Amino acid sequence: MADKTILVLEDNPLRIQWLRRMVRGRADVLWTDNVPDFLATLEIDPNLVLLDHDLGTYFDGRDAADHLYYTGPIIVWSANSTKGPKMVDILEERGLDVLPVWMPFGSPELPHIIRRTLRDGQLPHIELR
């Protein structure tokens, strides 16, 4: 078991497989595909939180953002370029450390950002292509 933990709200198991391969040996990935389980799991105090918007359920990532009381680094990794930014606005208005990634698997910088965040404990806030 790794000494770092990433908590992910995501409905696509392929994204979770990709993430687990990418952080193997660096972090454990805890995955929930719904907002109530995600919010309940926050008690583990993860090192990084990843949020998707579109979950295919009644609740979506915005519901998670509205009720998220976590002060560590947060990456919103959504392909929804309309509703994803609203999640970011909600989190930033509360002074949380958030980085938006609109093309999660189209950005070659994303693996570097996740690894660096795990190492440093904060988001690097670099510009994504």
Side-chain angles (χ1 to χ4, degrees):
M1 196 168 225
D3 63 341
K4 306 278 183 174
T5 305
I6 301 172
L7 178 59
V8 186
L9 176 62
E10 171 63 61
D11 65 331
N12 184 335
L14 295 176
R15 287 185 180 179
I16 300 305
Q17 290 173 5
W18 173 86
L19 179 62
R20 284 185 171 146
R21 281 192 308 270
M22 197 260 300
V23 299
R24 187 173 292 134
R26 292 186 176 108
D28 292 320
V29 176
L30 297 180
W31 169 41
T32 64
D33 63 359
N34 65 78
V35 173
D37 288 348
F38 171 79
L39 294 173
T41 308
L42 277 170
E43 68 188 34
I44 65 155
D45 193 28
N47 299 90
L48 174 63
V49 165
L50 295 162
L51 296 174
D52 186 23
H53 183 275
D54 300 332
L55 301 172
T57 64
Y58 175 76
F59 295 110
D60 58 34
R62 184 172 175 161
D63 295 304
D66 283 337
H67 297 94
L68 182 62
Y69 294 98
Y70 165 76
T71 58
I74 302 164
I75 295 175
V76 173
W77 69 347
S78 177
N80 188 329
S81 61
T82 302
K83 295 183 180 178
K86 293 177 183 170
M87 290 173 57
V88 173
D89 290 343
I90 289 167
L91 298 167
E92 286 180 339
E93 284 173 9
R94 294 192 4 237
L96 299 177
D97 189 20
V98 61
L99 180 70
V101 179
W102 305 130
M103 297 292 291
F105 300 99
S107 171
E109 293 92 351
L110 183 58
H112 173 71
I113 289 169
I114 291 172
R115 290 181 190 127
R116 188 168 160 189
T117 301
L118 290 171
R119 182 191 72 207
D120 298 344
Q122 62 186 26
L123 293 167
H125 293 286
I126 63 174
E127 187 68 30
L128 297 179
R129 292 180 224 149

